[in-house]
Amino acid sequence: MKSVVIGSGFGGIAAALRLKAKNHKVTLIEKHNDLGGRARVFRKNGFTFDGGPTVITAPYLIDELFNLFNKDSKDYIKLTPLKTWYQFIFEDNSKFNYSGNEIEMEKQIEQIEKKDVDGYSRLVKFTKKIFDKGYLELADVPFDKPFTMMKQLPSLLALKSYKSVYSLVSSYIKNEKLRRMLSMHPLLVGGNPFTTTSIYGLILYLEKKWGIHYSMGGTGNIISGLEKLMNEEGIQIIKGHEVSEINTNKNNVNGIKLSDGKFIEANNVICNADPPSVYEKMIDKSNESFLFKWKKRRMDYSMGLFVYYFGTKKIYNEVEHHTIKFGNKYKEHLDDIFDNKKLNNDISYYLHRPTATDKSMAPPNHDCFYVLVPVPNNQSKIDWKIEGEKLKNLVIEKMQEHLLPNLKENIVEDFYLTPDYFENELNTKHGSGFSIQPKFTQSAYFRFHNKSEVYNGLYFVGAGSHPGAGVPGVLSSAKVLDKIL
């Protein structure tokens, strides 16, 4: 069997390796000159900036890819567990060190609200039930038939999937600070905690199950290790060439055409590219049914991302590896991002400081960071050529005020990415950071199927397909191929 994989994010690389292990002849094609997709690496004057993602959970999914070929991942990459997973900083500048140490967690919760200690314990137990069903049982199950979804509905309803993550958390936790902290996980996969199905509460337990890890040398070192494995196993890798068209004969895929006109024959085409963009730009739409066209039209997309990368000549030792800083408002801010599609000055942000764990990411006596700010996607019509610089300055001011004193005068290297980058370079519809939102009506069967609803031989892995975004999600999407190919 000849299989072509389009896109080299985690999902695409995992798909290529899994198909190779099934004796397919595999070609992986990447439009950029480097692999990784969202996990690309930017190097500037001695600084190494991971494009993202930077929170590594469920490392066994990475190990599995090496195990397919009887190889040990430790010979290729080095993952190290973090002691403090996130430091949360609230609007009053109080801090909470979030970790897998349940004794320390409960002590900190008790200091905020004694009554919520028991609620937290019960919440964790309930998210384990969600995790057992939603992740262990269903994450790598193909949801390409209505019956598969209908069969699971009673279990999903019993797990309160009709609730949002915030609503679920609030049924156990009364303190608003703790509600924010324990409901923020959907933002890691592009969802609004107030509309994302409570099934995604499983992320809370998934972190507790395997911890949060960092790849020494950055997430890009995982991509490098996997690229080395692909080369050793004879997967053909084509970089710097974009796929312009997926060729079809009636309702069957038979290959792809590159932007330089070259045709590559294939029995299967697996897209790590964003499904909406594939269906709209790369393939004949005449075979699409009325229902499928309606499905595409009704989709709601994740927020956009503003990502500011910077290096400093000052070392900020007091800043943790992962910091999440909340603004004054929570729901109102999320409403502006997801519904009103407008910017405001009361931002929340995620700050990544890899040099807290790995000094190799910056020159000696320097620090390395990126700060990620959720923003509206490009349905907002925001002109990022104007607003990008304004937001950068606002973010610097906010970080200087709360976290990084004298930041402005200590920055020696910087650049930023806006939703325009995600739309133009990563081909995501509306410049969304994570493809479609993880609402209940856009999950499992209601998501873009791993096996195309329109064409035989066309498959999808990655953020827009089942089970969704995040490293465990996209790696699990590649596992679905084991069951359908």
Side-chain angles (χ1 to χ4, degrees):
M1 294 285 281
K2 292 182 180 178
S3 295
V4 167
V5 178
I6 303 172
S8 68
F10 274 107
I13 291 174
L17 287 164
R18 289 188 174 278
L19 291 171
K20 184 64 181 179
K22 294 168 79 78
N23 296 316
H24 288 226
K25 183 178 180 182
V26 181
T27 301
L28 182 141
I29 301 168
E30 169 55 54
K31 69 176 279 190
H32 296 110
N33 291 319
D34 54 344
L35 302 187
R38 287 177 175 83
R40 298 174 71 196
V41 175
F42 305 101
R43 291 186 170 86
K44 304 272 185 181
N45 294 324
F47 293 95
T48 301
F49 299 107
D50 273 324
T54 53
V55 177
I56 303 299
T57 53
Y60 79 93
L61 287 168
I62 296 170
D63 293 339
E64 281 183 355
L65 299 176
F66 293 92
N67 294 341
L68 289 170
F69 305 96
N70 298 314
K71 294 184 177 179
D72 188 343
S73 63
K74 294 181 181 63
D75 295 332
Y76 297 78
I77 59 176
K78 182 182 178 184
L79 297 181
T80 186
L82 298 182
K83 183 180 177 183
T84 298
W85 295 349
Y86 312 99
Q87 183 172 84
F88 287 93
I89 303 179
F90 299 102
E91 62 274 22
D92 61 2
N93 286 327
S94 60
K95 296 178 180 180
F96 190 111
N97 288 333
Y98 190 98
S99 72
N101 184 327
E102 292 304 311
I103 294 173
E104 287 299 316
M105 288 286 289
E106 290 183 4
K107 277 183 184 175
Q108 292 177 90
I109 291 170
E110 186 174 18
Q111 289 170 4
I112 296 172
E113 176 55 73
K114 284 185 179 181
K115 293 178 182 176
D116 281 339
V117 174
D118 178 63
Y120 168 73
S121 177
R122 289 186 292 114
L123 173 64
V124 171
K125 287 176 183 174
F126 191 77
T127 59
K128 181 184 185 303
K129 292 180 182 177
I130 301 174
F131 170 83
D132 288 345
K133 183 69 177 180
Y135 183 82
L136 293 182
E137 187 178 330
L138 300 179
D140 56 4
V141 170
F143 275 87
D144 55 352
K145 294 182 175 64
F147 176 73
T148 309
M149 187 71 181
M150 289 168 62
K151 190 168 70 172
Q152 300 301 334
L153 279 177
S155 298
L156 295 174
L157 292 172
L159 293 170
K160 303 179 182 178
S161 59
Y162 50 86
K163 284 191 170 189
S164 71
V165 171
Y166 183 85
S167 176
L168 176 72
V169 169
S170 297
S171 66
Y172 293 95
I173 303 293
K174 303 308 174 191
N175 181 272
E176 179 58 25
K177 283 183 181 178
L178 299 175
R179 285 178 172 181
R180 291 185 184 191
M181 181 181 80
L182 295 167
S183 70
M184 68 86 198
H185 290 91
L187 290 164
L188 302 177
V189 293
N192 182 344
F194 290 90
T195 59
T196 297
T197 170
S198 62
I199 295 300
Y200 283 84
L202 66 82
I203 300 173
L204 186 150
Y205 192 81
L206 183 144
E207 290 178 342
K208 294 186 179 300
K209 177 74 173 175
W210 291 293
I212 288 179
H213 297 74
Y214 170 76
S215 168
M216 298 303 289
T219 306
N221 264 12
I222 303 177
I223 299 298
S224 297
L226 292 169
E227 181 176 7
K228 181 182 177 185
L229 178 62
M230 287 193 290
N231 284 324
E232 289 171 354
E233 297 304 322
I235 293 172
Q236 183 184 15
I237 300 172
I238 299 175
K239 301 178 187 177
H241 288 76
E242 188 166 9
V243 176
S244 61
E245 185 180 343
I246 297 172
N247 280 56
T248 59
N249 180 12
K250 296 182 180 178
N251 65 335
N252 297 307
V253 164
N254 58 22
I256 57 97
K257 187 183 291 182
L258 300 179
S259 51
D260 62 5
K262 182 181 178 182
F263 176 76
I264 299 176
E265 183 184 348
N267 307 100
N268 307 300
V269 173
I270 296 89
C271 295
N272 189 202
D274 198 31
S277 292
V278 171
Y279 281 118
E280 288 181 15
K281 299 177 181 178
M282 296 170 64
I283 198 162
D284 180 15
K285 292 190 279 289
S286 62
N287 270 24
E288 293 180 358
S289 67
F290 171 80
L291 278 175
F292 185 74
K293 289 177 180 176
W294 172 80
K295 176 179 180 175
K296 286 196 304 179
R297 284 197 304 271
R298 75 170 180 83
M299 290 291 189
D300 290 324
Y301 289 80
S302 82
M303 74 284 203
L305 301 175
F306 177 89
V307 194
Y308 176 51
Y309 301 84
F310 60 102
T312 63
K313 61 185 179 182
K314 176 180 177 179
I315 296 177
Y316 291 89
N317 283 315
E318 65 280 8
V319 176
E320 292 285 349
H321 192 118
H322 300 296
T323 302
I324 293 175
K325 173 70 174 70
F326 289 111
N328 294 322
K329 295 177 180 177
Y330 190 49
K331 186 176 187 304
E332 296 90 335
H333 181 49
L334 293 170
D335 285 344
D336 278 349
I337 292 169
F338 286 92
D339 299 326
N340 303 326
K341 301 285 193 295
K342 67 177 186 180
L343 293 169
N344 69 50
N345 290 342
D346 181 27
I347 60 171
S348 296
Y349 56 82
Y350 157 65
L351 180 66
H352 178 232
R353 179 181 171 240
T355 34
T357 304
D358 183 0
K359 300 301 182 190
S360 74
M361 300 294 279
N365 303 313
H366 288 69
D367 239 348
C368 179
F369 301 86
Y370 84 56
V371 59
L372 184 153
V373 183
V375 295
N377 64 36
N378 277 345
Q379 289 173 299
S380 64
K381 308 299 182 188
I382 291 169
D383 186 345
W384 288 108
K385 293 181 182 69
I386 296 172
E387 298 300 330
E389 199 66 20
K390 292 181 185 175
L391 186 54
K392 171 191 138 176
N393 291 329
L394 173 67
V395 170
I396 291 172
E397 287 172 15
K398 294 279 189 182
M399 291 190 295
Q400 188 166 261
E401 179 184 354
H402 297 114
L403 273 177
L404 306 172
N406 304 313
L407 172 60
K408 194 175 292 187
E409 64 198 56
N410 282 291
I411 294 171
V412 293
E413 191 68 54
D414 74 335
F415 65 100
Y416 60 81
L417 304 176
T418 73
D420 287 348
Y421 165 81
F422 288 84
E423 183 163 5
N424 300 326
E425 292 297 320
L426 300 180
N427 297 328
T428 65
K429 189 173 175 68
H430 304 310
S432 62
F434 304 88
S435 192
I436 60 174
Q437 288 184 41
K439 297 180 174 182
F440 181 77
T441 54
Q442 297 184 174
S443 297
Y445 177 76
F446 306 123
R447 212 165 179 80
F448 286 104
H449 295 182
N450 304 96
K451 181 180 180 181
S452 171
E453 301 101 303
V454 183
Y455 285 99
N456 297 321
L458 180 63
Y459 303 89
F460 290 91
V461 294
S465 61
H466 173 68
V471 176
V474 299
L475 290 174
S476 294
S477 71
K479 289 184 76 171
V480 177
L481 296 182
D482 284 344
K483 298 180 179 179
I484 59 179
L485 266 176

